[in-house]
Amino acid sequence: MAVSRPSARIAYADGERISLALRAGIRCVIDDQETLNKINVFPVPDGDTGTNLALTLGAVHARLSDSASESAADVLTSAADAALDGARGNSGAIMAQFLQGLADYAPGIQRLTPPLFCAAAAHGAEYAHEAMDDPRDGTILSVIRDFADELDRQDKEADLADLLEAGLARAEASLADTPNHLEVLRKAGVVDAGAQGFVDMLRGIVEFFNSGNPRQTSEWAPFVSEESFEPSAGEEIDLAHRYCTECMVTGADIDRRKLREAVSALGSSMVIAGTRSKVKLHIHVNDPDEFFQTARKFGSVSGEKADDMHKQQRSAHALSHEVAIITDSAADLPDDELERLNIHMVPVRLHFGERSYLDKISMTPDEFYEELRRNPVHPKTSQPAPGDFRRQYQFLASHYRWVVSLHVSAAASGTWQAAKSAAERTQAAGDILVFDSRNASVGQGLLCVLAAELAIAGNDGKEIFDALQSARENTHTYIILRDLKYGVRGGRVPAVVKTVADLLRLTTVLTIRQDGTVGAAGILPGRTGLVNKFARWVLRRHTGATRCRLAIGHAHCPDDAQALLAQLQTRIPGVEYSYIAEAGPALGAHAGPGGLVVTVQVMNN
């Protein structure tokens, strides 16, 4: 049923009205996120524009829902600040900068009148344009500019709702014209996804002003489609840069011009949004660590993230099964297996003192072990924030019917709980199942391989989850530490154990128990010939395996890993699959250089 506009003229918008209008617009964007993902082909066809806008604007919705200011300036400032904190992707950063422009034009203003709104919109459009290193016609920037231009042409004393309707009509026409400016849109038969998101928001705002109905925001939840998702019609392309990277830079007086110049040379699709004290950076690069180190020259860096666009592109354009597999970087897997099986990975956070890194992205295992030897400060690892998981889940569950997420043992880390919390808060079409591997390193990796192979074979998420529960009981992981000092420094090995082991020249064999905890499993005499001794120790337990898989993890000792695998393959006749991987910091921080990990996964006949 059509709604009619309230008879009273809308002469201004105070803080409450702006808050309700923005939330109405945000609901429209989030409800449309799967369509936005589907039509996302520019600047890269990674199918995540809807997800990024939903995360960006969802942060704004949450902030506004918790505030009750009557000041227009306060509400716009809150919205801009929340958008900056939550900004994801190209379009999310541009939207945040548009809101920042609105807020910066209206300091101290209690009520936003039509003339003030028109001027603020022009200011927001200018901010959005300046955010881009290489602004292009046919994008969200064009639609924002045309919307602001239309407002400027209108009678500034008009009803605020009439102004917005005129601006929306122009924005819709501008959106329909985007394929005429970008060949990639024309070939795919779509409009620009970011521009569509901006128009969605305007439609929600206009609907609110026309109906006068605030709708109960506390009862609203994003719409979740039960229909199967089809990927975008856009072509898969070779990407010049692999990682979509972002971070926040905070400081007393950030020189944005110099920051832009320093960062823009590192990649493409750069967006810089924010203020002189807080800047959100977005750019596509091949070396995230170089980007983060450059940003640190201008202030304190936080909120680092780096999404693998190659993986996202494959998910959006080469979907061959219904289940996505994702894990955390505590799982040690060779890069070629990650690529072959399309396993997604959320990096663990790694800290050397006040310096933070994204495991295996902004710090490689080789770099980690070099720093471990050199740095007197022992590293610490922390689980990914729930937001890191939620961003990935939001994307994957929009492209797959199921997401199976496997994680390092909950007995050793809070990662599983963070993933579980994120899954419960994610609103998307696919179902998300979070699995505690009760393992780590290559043990966790072998479970990921099994899950990915079952997905490729056509099993659904529940079938894979059930198979993992069975396989977990038959996945046995053993570890030797050549030097216990790293375990002592990290607090995982009592100092007295090291003293006794050194005195008697013993090497302890550790195992990951069935409940996911780590404990002693045996002792190897002496400190020489450890590869042979460790191989014999493992063989005594698994020589009779008729079908099994092997994985070797090594802490910066690849030759030892090769020798260990060769001995085990020769003596265990039923090995049908094996790999070697360098152990990451989740294990290496405590094992130290020279540590070795063996996982034997006994397969059901």
Side-chain angles (χ1 to χ4, degrees), residues 562-573:
Q562 290 284 357
L564 180 58
L565 178 61
Q567 290 199 42
L568 295 177
Q569 283 181 320
T570 300
R571 302 282 297 280
I572 301 177

Side-chain angles (χ1 to χ4, degrees), residues 22-97:
L22 282 173
R23 281 183 276 168
I26 290 167
R27 288 195 296 269
C28 286
V29 178
I30 295 178
D31 285 347
D32 201 28
Q33 65 176 300
E34 295 209 15
T35 297
L36 300 179
N37 281 337
K38 184 176 179 179
I39 66 173
N40 171 207
V41 298
F42 182 84
V44 289
D46 48 358
D48 66 351
T49 292
T51 299
N52 288 333
L53 282 175
L55 291 169
T56 302
L57 295 175
V60 177
H61 193 284
R63 182 78 59 87
L64 295 182
S65 298
D66 291 338
S67 64
S69 176
E70 296 183 359
S71 162
D74 288 349
V75 169
L76 288 174
T77 298
S78 292
D81 194 56
L84 193 61
D85 288 340
R88 294 290 184 270
N90 226 316
S91 296
I94 292 170
M95 190 78 82
Q97 190 69 347

Side-chain angles (χ1 to χ4, degrees), residues 117-163:
F117 177 71
C118 292
H123 205 239
E126 182 180 351
Y127 265 47
H129 188 271
E130 290 177 352
M132 289 294 296
D133 187 52
D134 181 25
R136 299 284 297 275
D137 283 336
T139 66
I140 183 175
L141 293 175
S142 303
V143 176
I144 291 175
R145 180 195 62 212
D146 291 344
F147 166 73
D149 287 349
E150 185 61 34
L151 295 183
D152 189 55
R153 282 196 287 269
Q154 296 294 312
D155 179 3
K156 303 303 187 297
E157 300 304 321
D159 183 289
L160 190 55
D162 287 339
L163 274 176

